[in-house]
Structures are given as structure tokens and as C-alpha cells.
Amino acid sequence: MKAGGDSDRKMMNDAEDDILIKNFLDGDAESFNILYERYRKQLYSYLNRLLGGQSALADDIFQQTWLKVIDQLPRYRSSGKKTLAWLITIAHNLAMDHFRRNRKSSGDLTGDVAELEASMVCDDASEPWRDMHRSELEQALNKALDELSPEFREVFLLRQDDVPFKDIAEIQECSINTVLARMQYALKKMRRCLAEWQNAGRNGV
Amino acid sequence: MKNCESIRERMLSGEDSGEIRSHLEGCPECALMLSFWESVKSSGKSSLADVPASLDFAVMAKAAEAARRHRNASLLKKFLWIPAAAVLFVSAGVVIFSMSESGDGKISASEKPVAAAVKLMSWDSLDTEILVLSAELESAGSSIDLANPELEASADYLKTAPSAIIDSSHRSKKSITVI
């Protein structure tokens, strides 16, 4: 269950972020360092998982994101977004630009949307993750994540980071229903991947 | 089930309520989804490497440079009023000076009441001083040592001057108007 303390802490963080940003805009570099320290790991982790282990690309987009943040901070307050959602929106746009340039994602996405409909109908009730060790589960999940298209993978990763569906919808510029459908599809496809992984292991493939 | 969509949104958002629990009892598909989500929610996050130091350094260097720019801009904004106030002060001084120069000793409408009162008071005290001085001269005129030619000339002048000075000061007073 979500504790009320969690949302209080987030609100407090947002208020503190506003003070840090104001101080930075008054010329205090240390305030930016505190803000950076607060979100750097989360953003780095999000990008690495979203980009499926392409660490050089993740590094590049991570740096580009922060450089954009530094440039855009004077206009940040008028955007009205929470700091993490704002950071992720910038990183998301940069990552999607990369996927668009490589064309790979659009093909994947079309396939996923078509598959989405089918997956909603036929679903098996097995629970392969229950028999897996933690490390095996993580390995299988990383493989399953790689098989998702970026938009679907992103919804899953952002929910892992406790980003609300409403904020994900804003980041992906779509409706909450679309985000929710992507999340359900991601979960179903990952479950199927885990089952395949386990069957392959049992059959010694 | 009909309300699966709204229940899923809430359960995948982390909500835990009686309504959700009772739905899950009657809906194995939603129960399976939640069970899987809870198993993988925190998976894969701990094994990630930390941000490389070179990235930290690049970002912080850029931030320090931007902070310097912001500091300079905010200092400029903070102290911009000083030259503006100086210009305003000098302009006001020039205007007041030129107005007082063009007044020919009269108190103009722009002069403040206090200044006008000071002027009137000095005219009145001049009258009194002249009257007292002339009376003293008249009574003590004979005792002045007239051997000194300069004193003799002054005494002669003062014997005739008071009335002329008083008349002149009264004429000036007539021209004083306070608005």
C-alpha cells in the first residue's frame, strides 16, 4: 500500500528543488550539485535500461539531458512539471529522437501494437517467476525488456521508478488509457518471455 | 471483467483498498498481473553501474560556468539602481538649480513654504538690525573718534543710510509673494 508519507516526501522534495533551482539561478553552483546528486542515479539507470544496455549511447544522452536542463532551468518554473518528470521528459525526447533516426523503433512499435490486441485475448496463467532465483529472474527480465519496443519498455521502467501514470502520459504525450494499455501489454509480454526462458532452460536449449 | 481497467490502473499505481482486494478475489487475471508486477517491480535496478566520474565532471563544469553567468546577471540586476539613481539625482539637482537661478530673488511657485519663510525671516531681522544700529549711532555719534578718516566716512554714511536701506528693504518685501 502507498503510504501517505511517500507523497509528502515527494512534495517536500519538489519544494526543495524549487529553492535549489532559485539559488542556482542566483549564481550558486553548489545548489545545482545537490539537485544533480538527487536525480543523477535515477536518470542514469532509466536511460541504461531504456536503451537496452547501450551504455555509450546512454552516457551520451545522459550528458545531453543535463546540458539541456542547465540551459532550460531559467524557464523551468513556468513549465509547471515536477523535477523528475521534467528531467525524464527531456531524456525521453532525446532517446526517442535516437530511435526515430535509427528507424528500428517504429517497426518494432507497429508490431507491438498489433500484438497488443492479440495478447489481451489469449493469456496463460502460468507463474514462471515463482521458481526462479533472483539473479536468474533479473537476467530473464533484462532479456524480456530488450524485446519490448521503447515506448512499452519506458512505461514499465517509469512505473518501476514510481512515476505516476498521469506523468508518464505527459512524458509520452498520449492518454492515460494508452499508457495503461502499454503497461499491461509490457507485463504480459514479459511474463511470456519468462515462461519461454524457463522452458528453454528446462529443455536444455 | 467490466471494471478491470480502472482497477488495474489503481493497483498498478500502488493503491491497496478493500475494493481492489475484493475484485482480485473474483478476477484471476488481475490477480496474476498484480502478482507478477510485485515480483518484478524492484528487479534490475540494483545491478546497474554508477554514473561514470567523467560524466559527473562534465555536467558539473557546465553547471559551474552557467552559475557564474547567472551570478553576474543577478549582480547587474541588483545594483542597476545605483547608476539610475545617480542620473536621477543629478537631473533633479540641475532642474532645481536652473529654477532658482531664473527666479530673480522672488520666491517662485516651485519653492517650498519653508524656504519662503526663511527668506521673510531674514528680511524682518535685517530691518530690526538696521533700526537698532542707527539708533545706537545717533545716540553715540558724538563719541566716535572722528580722527580716523575711514570711521568718519562710515559714520557719515550711516547717518543718512538707514532710512534709505529700510525703504529699500520694504520695497523688496512688497514684491515677495508666497503661493
Side-chain angles (χ1 to χ4, degrees), chain A residues 136-148:
Chain A
E136 189 191 6
L137 179 62
E138 291 208 348
Q139 212 180 339
L141 275 175
N142 285 339
K143 192 178 176 302
L145 266 176
D146 285 348
E147 290 188 17
L148 289 173

Side-chain angles (χ1 to χ4, degrees), chain B residues 7-143:
Chain B
I7 290 287
R8 283 176 187 179
E9 184 188 343
R10 288 159 58 194
M11 75 182 195
L12 294 173
S13 296
E15 188 183 319
D16 182 16
S17 63
E19 190 190 352
I20 290 176
R21 276 194 297 269
S22 70
H23 175 87
L24 292 177
E25 280 169 16
C27 180
E29 203 181 324
C30 286
L32 190 68
M33 185 172 277
L34 182 64
S35 163
F36 179 62
W37 171 236
E38 285 181 339
S39 303
V40 299
K41 200 159 67 176
S42 57
S43 186
K45 291 169 80 177
S46 55
S47 57
L48 280 165
D50 198 2
V51 183
S54 59
L55 281 180
D56 286 343
F57 181 78
V59 172
M60 284 181 178
K62 177 81 178 172
E65 189 189 312
R68 261 197 305 278
R69 273 202 316 275
H70 292 313
R71 187 164 49 243
N72 291 342
S74 83
L75 278 177
L76 189 69
K77 221 186 282 176
K78 209 172 182 178
F79 295 111
L80 195 63
W81 66 272
I82 294 177
V87 168
L88 201 68
F89 184 74
V90 170
S91 310
V94 168
V95 169
I96 290 169
F97 179 74
S98 63
M99 285 175 80
S100 67
E101 279 295 293
S102 64
D104 293 333
K106 292 180 183 176
I107 298 173
S108 67
S110 64
E111 283 183 285
K112 291 181 176 172
V114 174
V118 168
K119 276 199 175 180
L120 284 172
M121 278 170 65
S122 40
W123 278 114
D124 285 345
S125 62
L126 183 62
D127 284 353
T128 314
E129 274 176 38
I130 289 168
L131 286 169
V132 169
L133 191 59
S134 61
E136 278 177 4
L137 276 170
E138 270 178 22
S139 64
S142 54
S143 63

Side-chain angles (χ1 to χ4, degrees), chain A residues 83-130:
Chain A
T83 316
L84 180 64
W86 181 59
L87 286 173
I88 288 174
T89 303
I90 295 173
H92 160 90
N93 290 337
L94 289 167
M96 291 304 143
D97 284 348
H98 163 79
F99 288 128
R100 267 181 227 115
R101 274 197 304 272
N102 286 346
R103 293 212 165 250
K104 185 171 172 274
S105 67
S106 59
D108 285 352
L109 182 61
T110 314
D112 277 346
V113 170
E115 203 178 342
L116 181 61
E117 298 295 325
S119 74
M120 294 298 176
V121 181
C122 47
D123 189 28
D124 82 80
S126 64
E127 300 182 48
W129 64 91
R130 293 207 181 276

